[in-house]
Each structure stands twice: as structure tokens, then as C-alpha cells.
């Protein structure tokens, strides 16, 4: 990996302080052919990041040259005015105040954070979160302390020219820590062109891919010049060291998976699942409206905005009907109501937490079709069978243990054409990534139940029909985006 450090003046950082290439931002701007054919990671240590300064243009043009750079122009703009970053302050101040006890009860007026590392371990939580929000080499945070609460007055860049000798020494240590990435032993292996990060939670019970399946993918990807490395939610600060991101945790816009997707997108990295797909797929209200607008068949549906809508739902859909919380997943928050009384009781309870619910016609089937779609093309097709003595593919029992139905696999050629065509049409409404489209096949046609942005993909299951082609195409999806000219 090539690291390049940009400075305002050649004398700002001694070359002996780091093994990485140091050049001025002026030279970087004046020689666009520098590092041609390489994909360096650029650390911009210009003394000014103001709009249209050399520091600003260095990061702007780094992006156009396909070089990864920190800070990005977006970060420069975010930190140019308080009103542009004040949305981050509540979370940052909460983390800051958790340091109070360990700091002896009081805060300094200013603290410097270098590459997400504070002046001591006491600051770790806050420093990592700050780097999460604003990925910049050196930041200074001005603090206003009171007996009960410390607030943040200002967040700004801390240029090399203003560092004391002690600060510069600590900065160089942090620079070394940040750039000293752990690499696997590559003895006897073909050097990887790219390294893909795979976000996993080893303890997740219903993970979209098992660790064993990801290891299987890694073997196939290695032959294509790609190294697969697992990361966890603690590794957000390291994300930019990778070339692409594949999220294999259950996604939610309210947890760290969305933040990883957003960060990857900001870095210009190909990512599955991308943030927009998460937003679109995790809300069944949006999905229903989108499918209806694009003439994709869905079950008859009634939106529930209050108990006054229940009578319409009952008259339109009949009983039993299915009631859904908009952002439910893995069959959670989806229940069947056999009577109006059941509907009213359940809807009243759920409306306390969600302003909208969805009621849909109950369509009983012995299985759901799941068609995987990648880049707008079909990838795999399976039947997900209903859980034993249950009407869903996953039965979340009272003891907390989920009971899943079985799976029946098909090749894409064996799958009915109208099922595949409907699934592809639905997925293309969402985006260009990887989706799992659930459909019910009836005598009246097929109906899209939902589109999943984070579909299951396991070796010996979803790949049984198309075999290794599933994993090859997944790898190619990332490579095509990484190899695009001008990226």
C-alpha cells in the first residue's frame, strides 16, 4: 500500500519522521501524472483547508484521480461552520462527559485528537467517535466545562504549523499507528489487487451469511486477485484502508451498519448495502408505495395511520389479514390477525411506537420465492419453506429461539420466467446492489412481498443452484466498479 503525505511546505514534516512519501500540495497539484497507475492513500496535512485553497484543491483533485484522501472536501466543508456540524454535537458531548470521572472531574479547555487517538487512553471513546464523524488527521476540540456538563464550543483542524514539539511527536506516533495496518501472511499467495472488508457480527444468531460461507467466498475471491478480511463494528476508523465493503450483519438505519455504509460511500468505495438501499428497503411503507407506483404487483394493502383506518382495512382485506410494522425484519413485527378484535388490540399497541402500519391481504402459500438480484440481473432462486406448523418462514417462539423453515434450491433456468422478471423489476426500483426479492406465487399471479437489501447468502444454500458463479459474480460486481476509468 502506498501512503502519500501532502504538506504546505517541504519543511513542515521531516522525511525521517515517517517512511511514507512526503510532497507539497503545490507539487501534487502541478503534476497530475504522479502515482499514475497506483491507488495511493493520501493524507493531506496542508496548513489551510479553506475553500479554494491549495489544501482544498489537493483533496478535491485526489478524489478525481482515484486517490483516497483524508480529510475529504466534504469534511472540510462540514467543519467550516458550527451550524454544519452541530447535528453531531449531542452524541459527541455525551461521549465526552463519560470521560469526566477518569479525568479527575474536570476538562481542559482544548484537546487535540490525532487520527482518532487522544492524548491518553481516557479519551479513547470520545476520540474514536470524533474520528467517526470527521475523519481528519488532526483536530482540536474546544471545551466549555461546568460542574454538571461539558459542552463543545468548537471543532476545528489543527495544522502542523501550530503544533508544539510535544504535539508533533505525539502526532507522528499516531500517524504511524494509523498507517501501520496488519496484513495477513501472503507467503505462497498471489498478491491481492484489492482488499474487501466484510462487516460481520460473529455472535449474530440470524446473520445473513455464516462465517464459513464468507471463508468459502474468500477462497474464490483470492483466485480473482481479491483478499477478503472480516471486520466488526469496532473497525469503522480503519474502513478507508480497504477498497470495498460487503455488509454481512442485519442492517438498520439506526445502528452502526448504516454508519459503515455511509462512510464507505463517502470514501468512494463500492458497498453492499449502500445507504439509500437501506433506507428504501427497511421501510415497508415506502416499499409498498414504490412498487405500486412502478406497477410491480403487491398484495392488496391498506395504510394504517390510526385506529380510524382499521374498519377500512377489515372491509378491504377481510380476515385473516397481516399487520406489519414498517421497519420489521426476519418476520419480526409481522403478525396475522384473525378477527377485528385482534387487529384493534395489536394495532393500538404498535401505533404507540410507529405512526404508520401496513395491513395486507393474507396470501397463504407453502413457500416464498426468494430471487437474488445483483446489479439488476438475477443471481439465484430458492424456495423458503414455511416454518413447521407456522405461516411464516421464521417462527420467533416465546422462548426467544427462532425456528426456520427449510429451503429448496433451483437453477435460474428452472425458475418460472415470470417470477424472475417480476423480481428483477422490483429490485431495479431500489438500486444497483444486491437484493433478495420475496414473492408469493398464486393462481392469480405472483406478488412481491418485500425487497431485502441484506439478503441471506450462504454456501450450500442460496448458491446451490448456480454454484460458484454466485460468488464469482459478487466479486466481479465490486471489481467492475473499482476498475472503472476515472474512478
Amino acid at each position: 500500500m502506498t501512503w502519500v503525505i501532502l504538506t504546505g511546505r517541504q519543511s513542515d514534516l521531516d522525511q525521517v519522521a515517517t517512511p511514507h512519501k512526503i510532497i507539497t500540495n503545490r507539487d501534487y497539484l502541478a503534476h497530475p501524472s504522479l502515482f499514475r497507475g497506483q491507488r495511493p492513500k493520501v493524507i493531506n496535512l496542508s496548513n489551510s483547508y479553506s475553500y479554494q485553497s491549495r489544501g482544498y484543491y489537493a483533496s478535491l483533485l485526489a478524489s478525481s484521480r482515484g486517490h483516497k484522501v483524508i480529510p475529504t472536501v466534504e469534511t472540510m466543508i462540514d467543519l467550516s461552520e458550527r451550524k454544519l456540524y452541530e447535528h453531531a454535537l449531542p452524541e459527541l458531548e455525551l461521549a465526552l462527559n463519560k470521560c469526566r470521572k477518569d479525568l479527575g472531574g474536570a476538562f481542559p479547555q482544548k484537546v487535540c485528537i490525532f487520527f482518532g487517538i487522544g492524548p491518553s487512553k481516557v479519551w479513547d471513546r470520545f476520540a474514536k467517535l470524533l474520528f467517526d464523524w470527521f475523519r481528519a488527521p488532526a483536530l482540536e476540540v474546544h471545551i466549555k466545562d461546568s460542574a454538571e456538563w461539558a459542552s463543545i464550543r468548537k471543532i476545528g483542524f489543527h495544522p502542523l504549523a501550530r503544533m508544539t514539539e510535544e504535539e508533533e511527536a505525539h502526532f507522528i506516533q499516531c500517524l504511524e499507528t494509523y498507517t501501520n495496518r496488519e496484513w495477513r501472511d501472503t507467503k505462497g499467495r498471489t498478491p491481492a489487487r484489492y482488499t474487501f472488508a466484510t462487516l460481520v457480527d460473529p455472535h449474530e444468531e440470524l446473520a445473513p451469511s455464516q462465517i464459513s460461507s464468507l471463508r468459502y467466498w474468500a477462497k474464490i475471491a483470492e483466485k480473482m486477485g481479491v483478499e477478503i478480511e472480516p471486520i466488526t463494528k469496532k473497525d469503522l476508523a480503519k474502513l478507508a484502508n480497504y477498497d470495498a465493503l460487503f455488509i454481512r450483519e442485519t442492517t438498520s438505519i439506526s445502528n452502526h451498519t448504516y454508519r459503515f455504509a455511509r462512510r464507505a460511500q463517502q470514501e468512494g468505495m463500492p458497498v453492499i448495502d449502500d445507504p439509500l438501499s437501506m433506507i428504501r428497503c427497511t421501510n415497508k411503507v415506502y416499499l409498498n408505495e414504490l412498487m405500486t407506483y412502478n406497477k410491480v404487483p403487491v398484495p392488496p394493502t391498506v395504510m394504517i395511520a390510526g385506529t380510524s383506518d382499521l374498519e377500512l382495512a377489515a372491509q378491504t382485506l377481510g380476515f385473516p389479514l397481516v399487520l406489519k410494522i414498517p421497519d420489521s425484519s426476519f418476520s419480526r413485527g409481522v403478525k396475522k390477525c384473525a378477527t377485528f378484535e385482534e387487529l384493534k388490540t395489536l394495532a393500538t399497541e404498535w401505533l404507540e411506537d410507529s405512526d404508520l402500519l401496513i395491513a395486507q391481504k393474507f396470501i397463504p402459500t407453502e413457500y416464498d420465492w426468494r430471487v437474488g438480484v445483483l446489479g439488476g440481473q438475477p443471481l439465484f432462486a430458492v424456495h423458503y419453506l414455511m416454518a413447521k406448523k407456522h405461516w411464516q418462514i421464521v417462527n420467533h417462539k416465546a422462548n426467544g429461539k427462532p425456528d426456520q423453515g427449510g429451503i429448496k434450491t433451483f437453477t435460474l433456468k428452472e425458475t418460472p420466467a415470470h417470477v424472475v422478471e417480476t423480481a428483477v423489476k422490483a429490485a431495479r426500483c431500489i438500486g444497483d446492489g444486491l437484493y433478495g426479492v420475496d414473492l408469493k406465487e398464486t393462481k392469480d399471479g405472483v406478488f412481491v412481498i418485500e425487497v431485502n437489501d441484506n439478503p441471506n447468502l450462504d454456501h450450500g444454500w442460496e448458491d446451490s443452484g448456480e454454484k460458484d458463479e454466485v460468488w464469482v459474480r459478487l466479486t466481479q460486481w465490486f471489481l467492475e466498479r473499482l476498475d472503472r476509468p476515472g474512478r
Side-chain angles (χ1 to χ4, degrees), residues 287-339:
L287 274 178
N288 182 73
E289 292 282 326
L290 182 67
M291 296 298 115
T292 301
Y293 179 80
N294 286 281
K295 297 181 172 54
V296 177
V298 294
T301 303
V302 174
M303 212 76 67
I304 307 293
T307 53
S308 59
D309 296 322
L310 299 180
E311 192 64 46
L312 175 63
Q315 293 175 357
T316 304
L317 306 174
F319 290 100
L321 57 76
V322 179
L323 192 65
K324 300 181 179 181
I325 296 173
D327 61 351
S328 56
S329 63
F330 283 119
S331 300
R332 299 184 184 95
V334 179
K335 292 194 175 182
K336 183 170 65 172
C337 299
T339 65

Side-chain angles (χ1 to χ4, degrees), residues 56-110:
Y56 177 90
Y57 276 116
S59 284
L60 185 65
L61 294 186
S63 176
S64 70
R65 295 172 185 177
H67 302 168
K68 292 189 175 182
V69 62
I70 63 167
T72 62
V73 167
E74 290 85 354
T75 299
M76 295 175 187
I77 293 172
D78 282 346
L79 292 178
S80 64
E81 295 184 57
R82 180 185 172 89
K83 66 181 180 182
L84 296 177
Y85 63 78
E86 61 185 4
H87 61 287
L89 295 181
E91 187 178 7
L92 287 168
E93 288 178 349
L94 182 62
L96 177 66
N97 280 274
K98 289 182 179 179
C99 301
R100 181 183 295 278
K101 182 178 179 181
D102 292 331
L103 284 169
F107 289 93
Q109 292 184 346
K110 184 184 79 172

Side-chain angles (χ1 to χ4, degrees), residues 112-307:
C112 295
I113 306 296
F114 302 143
F115 297 100
I117 302 171
S120 67
K121 289 190 69 64
V122 172
W123 294 92
D124 277 0
R125 179 197 296 265
F126 174 75
K128 289 178 181 177
L129 183 62
L130 181 70
F131 195 59
D132 174 5
W133 276 104
F134 310 108
R135 223 168 57 80
L139 294 172
E140 57 183 27
V141 181
H142 297 262
I143 302 170
K144 181 180 179 181
D145 194 14
S146 66
E148 296 182 354
W149 189 258
S151 58
I152 295 173
R153 292 196 298 108
K154 180 184 177 182
I155 302 173
F157 297 105
H158 189 50
L160 278 170
R162 291 215 317 264
M163 290 185 190
T164 65
E165 288 186 12
E166 183 180 355
E167 286 175 340
E168 185 171 339
H170 181 51
F171 174 82
I172 291 170
Q173 289 179 351
C174 296
L175 169 64
E176 182 180 1
T177 299
Y178 179 69
T179 57
N180 186 24
R181 178 178 164 197
E182 293 182 7
W183 292 90
R184 293 181 180 178
D185 179 15
T186 57
K187 184 177 180 180
R189 298 173 57 185
T190 303
R193 292 170 58 213
Y194 297 110
T195 306
F196 297 173
T198 306
L199 182 63
V200 297
D201 176 0
H203 306 294
E204 184 175 3
E205 188 170 18
L206 292 176
S209 290
Q210 299 299 312
I211 300 299
S212 58
S213 295
L214 297 175
R215 290 196 185 106
Y216 186 83
W217 177 39
K219 292 178 182 178
I220 294 173
E222 182 183 347
K223 298 174 185 177
M224 301 172 69
V226 173
E227 185 176 12
I228 307 298
E229 288 194 8
I231 61 173
T232 67
K233 65 180 181 180
K234 296 179 180 179
D235 294 321
L236 182 59
K238 301 178 184 177
L239 183 59
N241 290 342
Y242 299 90
D243 298 296
L245 173 65
F246 187 33
I247 298 176
R248 291 286 83 191
E249 288 189 52
T250 302
T251 53
S252 169
I253 59 173
S254 62
N255 71 12
H256 63 277
T257 56
Y258 179 77
R259 184 167 292 170
F260 270 81
R262 183 172 173 270
R263 174 57 54 77
Q265 192 173 67
Q266 289 171 339
E267 295 293 339
M269 299 165 60
V271 54
I272 294 175
D273 325 330
D274 64 273
L276 187 57
S277 292
M278 283 192 194
I279 292 171
R280 288 174 170 174
C281 288
T282 54
N283 193 286
K284 291 179 173 59
V285 171
Y286 175 86
L287 274 178
N288 182 73
E289 292 282 326
L290 182 67
M291 296 298 115
T292 301
Y293 179 80
N294 286 281
K295 297 181 172 54
V296 177
V298 294
T301 303
V302 174
M303 212 76 67
I304 307 293
T307 53

Side-chain angles (χ1 to χ4, degrees), residues 343-399:
L343 172 63
K344 184 175 181 180
T345 299
L346 185 59
T348 301
E349 177 188 342
W350 282 359
L351 284 168
E352 292 180 3
D353 298 317
S354 177
D355 287 341
L356 288 177
L357 303 174
I358 276 188
Q360 286 188 329
K361 182 178 178 63
F362 176 58
I363 302 177
T365 55
E366 294 181 356
Y367 60 85
D368 283 352
W369 275 108
R370 165 66 63 85
V371 178
V373 180
L374 177 65
Q377 298 298 323
L379 183 67
F380 64 81
V382 298
H383 279 176
Y384 285 158
L385 307 179
M386 298 303 153
K388 188 176 182 180
K389 297 182 179 179
H390 193 63
W391 61 280
Q392 294 170 288
I393 61 175
V394 181
N395 181 8
H396 295 278
K397 297 181 177 180
N399 61 10

